Amino acid sequence: MAANNRRMSGKKGAQVGSGGQRRKGLEGKGPTPPAEMRKGHKKNRIAGAKAKQAVRRPAPRGRGGKGTSEMVVGRNPVVEALREGVPASTLYVQQFIDNDERVREALQLAAERGGINLMEAPRPELDRMTNGLNHQGLVLQVPPYEYAHPEDLASAAYDDGEDPLIVALDGVTDPRNLGAVVRSVSAFGGHGVVVPERRAAGMTAGAWKTSAGTAARTPVARATNLTRALESYKKAGITVVGLAADGEAELGDLQALDGPVVIVVGSEGKGLSRLVGETCDFRVRIPMPGGAESLNAGVAAGIVLYEAARRRV
């Protein structure tokens, strides 16, 4: 009997309290992840090796017409960036990550867009890549932005038989303001935005998101020296108009908006720098009967661009 008892105790089958486990085993596990994310798959091993190389390789410094690469970290920021069409080259996903709804959406958006590499990497590698930021297992690499040359903006306008309508930003450091200006330039038929190379906002993921996709069709140029770029525009017959709270004339009285013009917008706090202000042909103010002292760059540029577009119809 003892032998029989041993054989019976070794039988496989339902045990007490196993009902929940069996039901859980019958639940669906969702769509099959891509090959790069399946442990043991050849593409997964290749992606892991590439991820380690990419993490250890220093990011290229901006040079010439290119900016520097950028990392968007965290589940919500990565999903929002992918939804808004922010350019991306690689989506890094932590190994053995908790596959929640945001992770699944990020993978789906990256797959639907195409051209985005999917790389699985261990957490220590992602920690090093993000300098210890709370990446939550998702990191999106944004490639360097390809800046235009300031002269290209005017040339493109003339090639289309139009008078250039360009916005230059002086000392604007908030990427969201840059994105808002890009959006306004696109909305009112402008030909691009010029930003200084130093101490100014660049086309980061934040600027791309604020532009609501218009950055894909509105060029942004980067000037090594903004004052010299404005002087070059003047030599080419383009009027340079600076916005200033103490401007000599009001916006409505300015006739230069009818022709080729560069609108220079300074920061909300400091306004135009001295050299840039002296380079402008005109300095105008936006009338504000409500008594506000200043407007941020995005709002101010939008008002002037609307006025210019109204006159050009």
Side-chain angles (χ1 to χ4, degrees):
M1 289 297 292
N4 289 338
N5 287 339
R6 283 196 296 272
R7 283 196 297 271
M8 290 182 67
S9 64
K11 280 187 177 182
K12 295 181 179 179
Q15 303 294 322
V16 176
S18 65
Q21 297 176 6
R22 296 189 65 187
R23 286 195 299 272
K24 185 176 180 181
L26 295 175
E27 292 178 358
K29 297 182 179 180
T32 302
E36 292 87 344
M37 301 300 300
R38 296 205 295 273
K39 186 178 180 181
H41 196 283
K42 180 180 178 181
K43 289 188 176 181
N44 175 266
R45 294 194 296 272
I46 295 174
K50 287 183 178 179
K52 290 182 180 179
Q53 293 175 0
V55 171
R56 290 168 182 165
R57 187 183 303 123
R61 295 184 63 185
R63 185 173 57 183
K66 287 188 177 182
T68 55
S69 59
E70 180 188 2
M71 297 293 179
V72 179
V73 302
R75 298 188 183 186
N76 286 335
V78 166
V79 170
E80 290 173 5
L82 289 170
R83 285 176 183 168
E84 295 295 335
V86 174
S89 56
T90 307
L91 174 62
Y92 294 94
V93 184
Q94 181 181 313
Q95 289 177 340
F96 317 120
I97 192 175
D98 180 19
N99 195 15
D100 69 3
E101 182 179 348
R102 293 168 298 175
V103 175
R104 290 192 292 271
E105 184 176 0
L107 292 171
Q108 181 180 354
L109 289 170
E112 289 175 352
R113 281 178 50 178
I116 300 178
N117 298 317
L118 292 176
M119 300 252 184
E120 188 177 46
R123 176 163 187 159
E125 299 288 352
L126 296 184
D127 290 342
R128 279 194 289 271
M129 177 189 297
T130 60
N131 292 322
L133 294 177
N134 183 22
H135 51 73
Q136 300 176 305
L138 284 185
V139 178
L140 187 69
Q141 186 172 30
V142 179
Y145 180 79
E146 294 281 351
Y147 289 95
H149 190 279
E151 293 179 1
D152 296 339
L153 306 185
S155 298
Y158 286 130
D159 289 344
D160 291 338
E162 300 175 351
D163 287 331
L165 176 57
I166 300 168
V167 174
L169 300 181
D170 178 27
V172 175
T173 57
D174 189 341
R176 294 170 297 182
N177 263 331
L178 172 57
V181 171
V182 170
R183 188 173 184 178
S184 294
V185 168
S186 176
F188 296 114
H191 300 100
V193 180
V194 180
V195 296
E197 186 173 323
R198 297 183 180 181
R199 295 184 293 275
M203 283 305 297
T204 62
W208 269 94
K209 288 197 304 184
T210 310
S211 77
T214 57
R217 57 181 182 272
T218 302
V220 176
R222 190 167 60 179
T224 304
N225 184 293
L226 183 59
T227 301
R228 285 202 295 266
L230 296 176
E231 289 172 347
S232 295
Y233 281 137
K234 291 173 65 173
K235 291 178 181 178
I238 302 174
T239 303
V240 177
V241 176
L243 297 186
D246 58 349
E248 296 82 11
E250 286 194 357
L251 177 63
D253 300 328
L254 183 67
Q255 299 301 317
L257 294 178
D258 299 346
V261 64
V262 176
I263 302 161
V264 189
V265 184
S267 64
E268 183 174 359
K270 296 181 180 179
L272 300 177
S273 62
R274 181 181 61 83
L275 288 177
V276 168
E278 292 174 354
T279 305
C280 295
D281 294 303
F282 303 99
R283 297 197 321 145
V284 300
R285 62 185 182 273
I286 298 174
M288 292 182 285
E293 293 184 0
S294 62
L295 300 170
N296 68 36
V299 174
I303 292 172
V304 182
L305 286 165
Y306 166 76
E307 179 66 16
R310 185 184 66 82
R311 296 186 186 190
R312 291 167 181 240
V313 174

